[in-house]
mmCIF file of all heavy atoms in Angstrom:
data_model
loop_
_atom_site.group_PDB
_atom_site.id
_atom_site.type_symbol
_atom_site.label_atom_id
_atom_site.label_comp_id
_atom_site.label_asym_id
_atom_site.label_seq_id
_atom_site.Cartn_x
_atom_site.Cartn_y
_atom_site.Cartn_z
ATOM 1 N N ARG A 1 80.036 136.788 -95.054
ATOM 2 C CA ARG A 1 78.650 136.303 -95.095
ATOM 3 C C ARG A 1 78.170 135.994 -93.684
ATOM 4 O O ARG A 1 77.025 136.280 -93.320
ATOM 5 C CB ARG A 1 78.555 135.049 -95.964
ATOM 6 C CG ARG A 1 77.111 134.643 -96.304
ATOM 7 C CD ARG A 1 77.115 133.246 -96.916
ATOM 8 N NE ARG A 1 75.927 132.961 -97.688
ATOM 9 C CZ ARG A 1 74.772 132.515 -97.197
ATOM 10 N NH1 ARG A 1 74.638 132.339 -95.883
ATOM 11 N NH2 ARG A 1 73.748 132.249 -97.989
ATOM 12 N N GLY A 2 79.047 135.414 -92.883
ATOM 13 C CA GLY A 2 78.688 135.117 -91.497
ATOM 14 C C GLY A 2 78.442 136.359 -90.672
ATOM 15 O O GLY A 2 77.595 136.358 -89.776
ATOM 16 N N LEU A 3 79.166 137.432 -90.950
ATOM 17 C CA LEU A 3 78.961 138.686 -90.232
ATOM 18 C C LEU A 3 77.663 139.365 -90.635
ATOM 19 O O LEU A 3 76.958 139.930 -89.793
ATOM 20 C CB LEU A 3 80.133 139.650 -90.501
ATOM 21 C CG LEU A 3 81.437 139.420 -89.745
ATOM 22 C CD1 LEU A 3 82.501 140.393 -90.252
ATOM 23 C CD2 LEU A 3 81.235 139.601 -88.242
ATOM 24 N N PHE A 4 77.355 139.315 -91.934
ATOM 25 C CA PHE A 4 76.280 140.156 -92.454
ATOM 26 C C PHE A 4 74.987 139.413 -92.788
ATOM 27 O O PHE A 4 73.909 139.997 -92.700
ATOM 28 C CB PHE A 4 76.767 140.892 -93.718
ATOM 29 C CG PHE A 4 78.037 141.663 -93.528
ATOM 30 C CD1 PHE A 4 79.092 141.517 -94.416
ATOM 31 C CD2 PHE A 4 78.194 142.528 -92.454
ATOM 32 C CE1 PHE A 4 80.267 142.226 -94.246
ATOM 33 C CE2 PHE A 4 79.365 143.248 -92.278
ATOM 34 C CZ PHE A 4 80.411 143.087 -93.171
ATOM 35 N N ASP A 5 75.085 138.146 -93.181
ATOM 36 C CA ASP A 5 73.878 137.465 -93.656
ATOM 37 C C ASP A 5 73.982 135.953 -93.445
ATOM 38 O O ASP A 5 73.863 135.170 -94.390
ATOM 39 C CB ASP A 5 73.688 137.781 -95.154
ATOM 40 C CG ASP A 5 72.273 137.519 -95.637
ATOM 41 O OD1 ASP A 5 71.357 137.444 -94.795
ATOM 42 O OD2 ASP A 5 72.094 137.400 -96.865
ATOM 43 N N PRO A 6 74.171 135.511 -92.203
ATOM 44 C CA PRO A 6 74.472 134.092 -91.967
ATOM 45 C C PRO A 6 73.299 133.150 -92.196
ATOM 46 O O PRO A 6 73.512 131.956 -92.402
ATOM 47 C CB PRO A 6 74.900 134.080 -90.501
ATOM 48 C CG PRO A 6 74.190 135.246 -89.883
ATOM 49 C CD PRO A 6 74.158 136.296 -90.956
ATOM 50 N N ASP A 7 72.088 133.655 -92.133
ATOM 51 C CA ASP A 7 70.929 132.764 -92.156
ATOM 52 C C ASP A 7 70.333 132.560 -93.543
ATOM 53 O O ASP A 7 69.383 131.782 -93.702
ATOM 54 C CB ASP A 7 69.845 133.318 -91.223
ATOM 55 C CG ASP A 7 70.339 133.427 -89.784
ATOM 56 O OD1 ASP A 7 71.090 132.529 -89.363
ATOM 57 O OD2 ASP A 7 69.990 134.419 -89.110
ATOM 58 N N ALA A 8 70.849 133.256 -94.555
ATOM 59 C CA ALA A 8 70.303 133.113 -95.905
ATOM 60 C C ALA A 8 70.594 131.717 -96.453
ATOM 61 O O ALA A 8 71.611 131.099 -96.120
ATOM 62 C CB ALA A 8 70.900 134.172 -96.823
ATOM 63 N N ALA A 9 69.697 131.238 -97.299
ATOM 64 C CA ALA A 9 69.905 129.947 -97.951
ATOM 65 C C ALA A 9 71.085 130.048 -98.910
ATOM 66 O O ALA A 9 71.397 131.131 -99.412
ATOM 67 C CB ALA A 9 68.639 129.539 -98.705
ATOM 68 N N PRO A 10 71.766 128.927 -99.176
ATOM 69 C CA PRO A 10 72.903 128.958 -100.105
ATOM 70 C C PRO A 10 72.520 129.559 -101.449
ATOM 71 O O PRO A 10 71.500 129.198 -102.041
ATOM 72 C CB PRO A 10 73.273 127.474 -100.242
ATOM 73 C CG PRO A 10 72.810 126.853 -98.965
ATOM 74 C CD PRO A 10 71.557 127.593 -98.593
ATOM 75 N N GLY A 11 73.332 130.513 -101.905
ATOM 76 C CA GLY A 11 73.082 131.159 -103.186
ATOM 77 C C GLY A 11 72.086 132.287 -103.140
ATOM 78 O O GLY A 11 71.878 132.977 -104.141
ATOM 79 N N GLU A 12 71.469 132.523 -101.994
ATOM 80 C CA GLU A 12 70.421 133.535 -101.897
ATOM 81 C C GLU A 12 70.900 134.841 -101.260
ATOM 82 O O GLU A 12 70.182 135.824 -101.244
ATOM 83 C CB GLU A 12 69.245 132.996 -101.080
ATOM 84 C CG GLU A 12 68.552 131.804 -101.711
ATOM 85 C CD GLU A 12 67.979 132.146 -103.077
ATOM 86 O OE1 GLU A 12 67.375 133.241 -103.211
ATOM 87 O OE2 GLU A 12 68.155 131.340 -104.010
ATOM 88 N N SER A 13 72.096 134.847 -100.741
ATOM 89 C CA SER A 13 72.598 136.047 -100.070
ATOM 90 C C SER A 13 73.294 136.971 -101.067
ATOM 91 O O SER A 13 73.968 136.497 -101.997
ATOM 92 C CB SER A 13 73.589 135.659 -98.967
ATOM 93 O OG SER A 13 74.218 136.815 -98.450
ATOM 94 N N PRO A 14 73.185 138.283 -100.893
ATOM 95 C CA PRO A 14 73.964 139.199 -101.739
ATOM 96 C C PRO A 14 75.460 139.059 -101.519
ATOM 97 O O PRO A 14 76.248 139.613 -102.283
ATOM 98 C CB PRO A 14 73.454 140.587 -101.322
ATOM 99 C CG PRO A 14 72.834 140.405 -99.987
ATOM 100 C CD PRO A 14 72.308 139.017 -99.956
ATOM 101 N N PHE A 15 75.842 138.314 -100.498
ATOM 102 C CA PHE A 15 77.264 138.122 -100.217
ATOM 103 C C PHE A 15 77.792 136.786 -100.742
ATOM 104 O O PHE A 15 78.914 136.399 -100.435
ATOM 105 C CB PHE A 15 77.507 138.247 -98.708
ATOM 106 C CG PHE A 15 77.083 139.580 -98.176
ATOM 107 C CD1 PHE A 15 75.864 139.722 -97.523
ATOM 108 C CD2 PHE A 15 77.858 140.700 -98.366
ATOM 109 C CE1 PHE A 15 75.442 140.951 -97.053
ATOM 110 C CE2 PHE A 15 77.454 141.945 -97.905
ATOM 111 C CZ PHE A 15 76.240 142.071 -97.241
ATOM 112 N N ASP A 16 76.982 136.099 -101.533
ATOM 113 C CA ASP A 16 77.426 134.867 -102.173
ATOM 114 C C ASP A 16 78.056 135.188 -103.522
ATOM 115 O O ASP A 16 77.414 135.783 -104.393
ATOM 116 C CB ASP A 16 76.243 133.907 -102.382
ATOM 117 C CG ASP A 16 75.745 133.304 -101.079
ATOM 118 O OD1 ASP A 16 76.551 133.180 -100.140
ATOM 119 O OD2 ASP A 16 74.549 132.968 -101.006
ATOM 120 N N HIS A 17 79.301 134.841 -103.700
ATOM 121 C CA HIS A 17 79.949 135.000 -104.997
ATOM 122 C C HIS A 17 81.128 134.048 -105.087
ATOM 123 O O HIS A 17 81.524 133.428 -104.104
ATOM 124 C CB HIS A 17 80.390 136.443 -105.237
ATOM 125 C CG HIS A 17 81.309 136.979 -104.182
ATOM 126 N ND1 HIS A 17 80.872 137.736 -103.129
ATOM 127 C CD2 HIS A 17 82.650 136.847 -104.012
ATOM 128 C CE1 HIS A 17 81.896 138.053 -102.360
ATOM 129 N NE2 HIS A 17 82.985 137.523 -102.867
ATOM 130 N N MET A 18 81.704 133.949 -106.273
ATOM 131 C CA MET A 18 82.795 133.016 -106.540
ATOM 132 C C MET A 18 84.135 133.745 -106.623
ATOM 133 O O MET A 18 84.207 134.917 -106.986
ATOM 134 C CB MET A 18 82.558 132.283 -107.859
ATOM 135 C CG MET A 18 81.462 131.229 -107.810
ATOM 136 S SD MET A 18 81.943 129.749 -106.866
ATOM 137 C CE MET A 18 83.234 129.062 -107.920
ATOM 138 N N ILE A 19 85.178 132.997 -106.327
ATOM 139 C CA ILE A 19 86.546 133.440 -106.550
ATOM 140 C C ILE A 19 87.127 132.541 -107.634
ATOM 141 O O ILE A 19 87.218 131.319 -107.463
ATOM 142 C CB ILE A 19 87.412 133.331 -105.278
ATOM 143 C CG1 ILE A 19 86.676 133.880 -104.051
ATOM 144 C CG2 ILE A 19 88.758 134.006 -105.501
ATOM 145 C CD1 ILE A 19 86.334 135.343 -104.106
ATOM 146 N N TRP A 20 87.497 133.137 -108.769
ATOM 147 C CA TRP A 20 88.071 132.401 -109.885
ATOM 148 C C TRP A 20 89.561 132.712 -109.973
ATOM 149 O O TRP A 20 89.969 133.858 -109.797
ATOM 150 C CB TRP A 20 87.400 132.784 -111.200
ATOM 151 C CG TRP A 20 85.907 132.656 -111.192
ATOM 152 C CD1 TRP A 20 84.989 133.632 -110.907
ATOM 153 C CD2 TRP A 20 85.144 131.476 -111.472
ATOM 154 N NE1 TRP A 20 83.710 133.142 -110.995
ATOM 155 C CE2 TRP A 20 83.775 131.814 -111.341
ATOM 156 C CE3 TRP A 20 85.485 130.174 -111.823
ATOM 157 C CZ2 TRP A 20 82.757 130.893 -111.552
ATOM 158 C CZ3 TRP A 20 84.471 129.251 -112.036
ATOM 159 C CH2 TRP A 20 83.117 129.614 -111.902
ATOM 160 N N CYS A 21 90.350 131.706 -110.275
ATOM 161 C CA CYS A 21 91.792 131.892 -110.330
ATOM 162 C C CYS A 21 92.372 131.107 -111.504
ATOM 163 O O CYS A 21 92.040 129.940 -111.694
ATOM 164 C CB CYS A 21 92.427 131.422 -109.012
ATOM 165 S SG CYS A 21 94.232 131.461 -108.964
ATOM 166 N N PHE A 22 93.205 131.764 -112.293
ATOM 167 C CA PHE A 22 93.978 131.078 -113.328
ATOM 168 C C PHE A 22 95.382 130.834 -112.775
ATOM 169 O O PHE A 22 95.999 131.749 -112.211
ATOM 170 C CB PHE A 22 94.083 131.923 -114.601
ATOM 171 C CG PHE A 22 92.884 131.852 -115.504
ATOM 172 C CD1 PHE A 22 91.706 131.234 -115.102
ATOM 173 C CD2 PHE A 22 92.923 132.412 -116.778
ATOM 174 C CE1 PHE A 22 90.603 131.176 -115.946
ATOM 175 C CE2 PHE A 22 91.832 132.363 -117.629
ATOM 176 C CZ PHE A 22 90.663 131.737 -117.220
ATOM 177 N N ALA A 23 95.884 129.617 -112.953
ATOM 178 C CA ALA A 23 97.213 129.263 -112.449
ATOM 179 C C ALA A 23 97.970 128.463 -113.498
ATOM 180 O O ALA A 23 97.379 127.883 -114.411
ATOM 181 C CB ALA A 23 97.092 128.459 -111.155
ATOM 182 N N SER A 24 99.278 128.442 -113.334
ATOM 183 C CA SER A 24 100.154 127.766 -114.288
ATOM 184 C C SER A 24 100.972 126.685 -113.587
ATOM 185 O O SER A 24 100.911 126.537 -112.362
ATOM 186 C CB SER A 24 101.114 128.792 -114.905
ATOM 187 O OG SER A 24 101.947 129.349 -113.879
ATOM 188 N N GLU A 25 101.774 125.962 -114.364
ATOM 189 C CA GLU A 25 102.661 124.973 -113.752
ATOM 190 C C GLU A 25 103.570 125.626 -112.718
ATOM 191 O O GLU A 25 103.865 125.048 -111.673
ATOM 192 C CB GLU A 25 103.519 124.280 -114.818
ATOM 193 C CG GLU A 25 102.907 123.024 -115.387
ATOM 194 C CD GLU A 25 102.312 123.246 -116.774
ATOM 195 O OE1 GLU A 25 102.273 124.403 -117.237
ATOM 196 O OE2 GLU A 25 101.870 122.270 -117.387
#
């Protein structure tokens, strides 16, 4: 995001997305 679209507002950049992870004991 910093390389391609650093000035966009939070959540407004096409490079904003989540990383979801399932984990166990």
Side-chain angles (χ1 to χ4, degrees):
R1 192 192 201 276
L3 282 175
F4 306 130
D5 199 19
D7 300 323
E12 297 300 317
S13 172
F15 301 100
D16 289 333
H17 57 263
M18 287 288 293
I19 314 297
W20 306 94
C21 175
F22 279 9
S24 63
E25 269 103 354

